[in-house]
Amino acid sequence: MQDSDPRWSDVDDYIVEHLIGEDLRLDACLAANEAAGLPSIDVSTTQGRMLELLARATGAQNILEIGTLGGFSAIWLARGLGEDGRLVTLELEPEYAAVARQNIDKAGQGEKVEILVGEAIGTLEHLSAQGGAPFDLVFVDADKENYAAYLDFAIKLSRPGATLIFDNVVRKGGVINPKSDDPKVPGTRDLYEALKKNPKVDATAIQTVGAKKWDGFLMAVVR
Ligand code: DHB
Ligand code: MG
């Protein structure tokens, strides 16, 4: 099967036109990312909108994001937060975090969003030691090698009933291939293996096609 079909993006455009609409602030975010040379691996607009709606549907007041990139998904998530809600987002690269800071501020979400720069595992250890308010929603969209470790931290740092979302869990179907030449596949498979054994969460994954080709979101709810 081919890896992509132009109709996938055309349908995304149709969805955006009818259900989401033009959004100059998010266009500005993506333009700033491109100008700064960030990789264009943000979630799509339809996916971003889904993150916003998930935050709203779950009544999330505290959201954790692992992998800020230029802040595109953080803006969507922050929009879904309640009035006094907070988003903590973790980013390894200081240059990306600086771009994200500007994008999030310009999008009017600056007061709700804290960006923590550094290697996520260290930041997560620090957050665990602090033992602050537990998160209601966790979105993981970072280095795939650590996905299983991020699952452990997400469970540890969230309340019972919290929702966890992982991006890129299908990878053009590569996830079912233990010999895949995509270096990001083994970490993604580790996540599935960890979930298979973990009685603390109920999970599913939904395959997606669209502007971001064939991939998928994994959703887990903490018991
Ligand atoms: C990659 C990472 C992502 O988070 C994504 O959505 C797409 C691609 C990557 O590292 O290849
Ligand atoms: Mg991703």
Side-chain angles (χ1 to χ4, degrees), residues 102-145:
Q102 282 214 326
N103 286 336
I104 293 164
D105 291 350
K106 280 189 190 159
Q109 301 299 329
E111 286 185 11
K112 294 182 189 168
V113 181
E114 184 178 10
I115 306 176
L116 301 179
V117 181
E119 194 236 340
I121 298 282
T123 306
L124 291 163
E125 276 165 358
H126 184 69
L127 289 174
S128 302
Q130 277 186 328
F135 293 103
D136 309 300
L137 176 62
V138 181
F139 176 52
V140 183
D141 190 10
D143 53 313
K144 314 310 168 198
E145 295 79 0

Side-chain angles (χ1 to χ4, degrees), residues 3 24 31 58 62 114 120 151 164 206 209 221:
D3 279 345
L24 298 178
T58 58
N62 287 291
E114 184 178 10
L151 172 68
L164 318 179
I206 296 294
V209 295
V221 174

Side-chain angles (χ1 to χ4, degrees), residues 15-185:
I15 295 168
V16 171
E17 185 193 336
H18 287 81
L19 306 183
I20 306 177
E22 190 177 47
D23 193 319
L24 298 178
R25 290 176 152 184
L26 286 162
D27 291 348
C29 170
L30 294 180
N33 290 355
E34 194 180 347
L38 271 58
S40 112
I41 52 172
D42 324 78
V43 296
S44 67
T45 296
T46 57
Q47 292 165 340
R49 172 69 151 180
M50 198 194 74
L51 293 172
E52 176 193 353
L53 295 179
L54 269 172
R56 209 191 304 165
T58 58
Q61 281 292 109
N62 287 291
I63 301 178
L64 171 65
E65 178 182 59
I66 306 177
T68 315
L69 193 63
F72 184 79
S73 47
I75 293 168
W76 282 112
L77 285 164
R79 286 175 174 179
L81 277 167
E83 189 69 12
D84 300 315
R86 289 284 172 270
L87 166 67
V88 176
T89 181
L90 316 189
E91 177 52 50
L92 173 66
E93 303 287 349
E95 300 82 11
Y96 295 4
V99 174
R101 182 77 265 163
Q102 282 214 326
N103 286 336
I104 293 164
D105 291 350
K106 280 189 190 159
Q109 301 299 329
E111 286 185 11
K112 294 182 189 168
V113 181
E114 184 178 10
I115 306 176
L116 301 179
V117 181
E119 194 236 340
I121 298 282
T123 306
L124 291 163
E125 276 165 358
H126 184 69
L127 289 174
S128 302
Q130 277 186 328
F135 293 103
D136 309 300
L137 176 62
V138 181
F139 176 52
V140 183
D141 190 10
D143 53 313
K144 314 310 168 198
E145 295 79 0
N146 282 316
Y147 263 28
Y150 295 152
L151 172 68
D152 287 340
F153 278 110
I155 294 170
K156 197 184 293 182
L157 289 166
S158 61
R159 64 165 171 82
T163 303
L164 318 179
I165 306 285
F166 289 78
D167 192 25
N168 310 115
V169 296
V170 173
R171 303 201 70 93
K172 296 179 181 162
V175 69
I176 60 169
N177 180 5
K179 295 186 185 131
S180 167
D181 54 15
D182 177 346
K184 312 265 164 69
V185 161

